[in-house]
Amino acid sequence: MSWYRNTVWFVKGLREYTRGGYESASKHFNPADVEVDVAGRSFLVTGANSGIGKATAKEIARRGGTVHLVCRNKERAEVAKEEIVTETGNQNIFLHIVDISNPKEIWKFAEKFQNEHKLNVLINNAGCMVNSRELTEDGLEKNFATNTLGTYIMTTALVPLLEKAADARVRQQVVLTEQWAKAHRNIHFSVMHPGWADTPAVRSSMPDFYERMKNSLRTEAQGADTVLWLAVSAEAARLPSGLFFQDRQPVPTHLPLAYTHSPPEDEEKLMELLEEFSQKFKSVSPGT
């Protein structure tokens, strides 16, 4: 019976994550939530040269926000920046070339950024889905380096800057979100699932899935909708910090009967290990 129930929940969840799920959920959205002017507020979006990151950055730019694009590939990033400026008319778009899988680069970038800019919202969008084992130049497994350690360092390094801002917000991984929400009461943390969207990452990393599902996938803008809502809407900030969202609604972080819960001591240990690990890559003096 447990296998049957899990299968039912998987199929139900898959359907909710497709374009049809978004279209159904969006009937209950309040358009006014995101019809806001965010001029004067500063947003940093990682992985912003394509997919959901670029769609999010573009929508924030349309609303007048200052947007910092953090990207790995300079050529693609410059094309994305030009597109955003041209389509939105917003000139306050800044480009930073940083490899989120390189912890030393992130520390150096964050230190420089804090000295030169303000920040209201950090959107940790960059991620990867590498199917074969690949190591970074530091000997780190690529998925861990990008999706977990890179996100941890970027947020840790910029928390002091965010603490100075009014209505500061961050989006990131589930356990990290929950733990940081407890530790930093002045910052609103949240995490979301974009659903299955037609993005370059899905097409390249999950080609078989893409071929089967390509006619049902969400658009990049639909995938980015909840990110935008969390970043700019007053309604999102009224909800408790540390929640997991899908289609503008808080949802459970674990499927029923999935047995994916972890004990609090394991989550605390994870944070301790990430902190210890991240410090190994932090420069002890300028230029090192």
Side-chain angles (χ1 to χ4, degrees), residues 23 42 77 83 103 148-149 159 162 167 172 175 189 221 249 270 287:
E23 291 171 348
S42 177
E83 179 183 323
T148 305
L149 184 62
V159 155
L162 288 161
D167 189 20
Q172 58 203 26
V175 172
F189 290 85
Q249 292 293 322
L270 170 66

Side-chain angles (χ1 to χ4, degrees), residues 176-190:
L176 301 186
T177 293
E178 294 171 338
Q179 293 298 313
W180 265 316
K182 297 174 187 176
H184 303 285
R185 302 293 184 179
N186 294 331
I187 302 173
H188 193 276
F189 290 85
S190 52

Side-chain angles (χ1 to χ4, degrees), residues 12-27 29 216 218 222 246-247:
K12 180 176 180 288
L14 186 62
R15 185 167 59 245
E16 289 178 350
Y17 288 157
T18 62
R19 187 188 310 145
Y22 174 84
E23 291 171 348
S24 176
S26 65
K27 294 175 183 177
F29 291 172
S216 301
R218 298 181 177 201
Q222 289 171 343
Q246 178 186 336
D247 291 330

